[in-house]
Amino acid sequence: QVQLEESGGGLVQAGGSLRLSCAASGRTFSNYVMGWFRQAPGKERQFVARISRAGLNTYYADSVKGRFTISRDNAKTTVYLQMNSLKPEDTAVYYCAAGTSSSSIESSSYTYWGQGTQVTVSS
């Protein structure tokens, strides 16, 4: 089992920045690919970014590319999502997830999920 807990969400004006953190506990953190997803009201959960086990490879949804940066610190068993130039359409609950697939952007490929943190971007 892997337990994940997100933090860092909040209310920010358009153009602002937030940094989300996801602290992991349980099984060996470095064994897992880590991803961030988001879900806006009335919409399906959407892939945002993922990072490989050692942190050498990252992949982003087109909608956030160039604005968001995913990173991880395996010594601290934490994954981060730096979000810059935020837009109102980024408003959602953001979830971190742990999985073993190195190439998937599907939520079904991730085994463990946090409870989510709300990000609200005002215009």
Side-chain angles (χ1 to χ4, degrees), residues 31-91:
N31 285 348
Y32 294 92
V33 173
M34 297 300 297
W36 284 97
F37 290 76
R38 65 187 182 187
Q39 188 166 19
K43 295 188 176 182
E44 292 187 352
R45 193 167 293 188
Q46 176 187 44
F47 169 81
V48 175
R50 72 164 185 261
I51 188 165
S52 61
R53 293 169 178 83
L56 299 179
N57 295 301
T58 57
Y59 184 79
Y60 299 91
D62 287 343
S63 58
V64 306
K65 200 173 296 182
R67 300 188 298 123
F68 290 12
T69 302
I70 188 171
S71 61
R72 67 190 294 166
D73 185 333
N74 285 346
K76 295 182 178 179
T77 64
T78 301
V79 62
Y80 306 96
L81 186 68
Q82 177 67 44
M83 305 186 295
N84 298 328
S85 303
L86 282 161
K87 305 175 181 180
E89 51 264 43
D90 294 319
T91 295

Side-chain angles (χ1 to χ4, degrees), residues 82-105:
Q82 177 67 44
M83 305 186 295
N84 298 328
S85 303
L86 282 161
K87 305 175 181 180
E89 51 264 43
D90 294 319
T91 295
V93 177
Y94 283 71
Y95 299 89
C96 70
T100 56
S101 172
S102 60
S103 60
S104 177
I105 62 171

Side-chain angles (χ1 to χ4, degrees), residues 7 15 17 21 35 64 71 88 105 115:
S7 61
S17 298
S21 299
V64 306
S71 61
I105 62 171
Q115 293 299 308

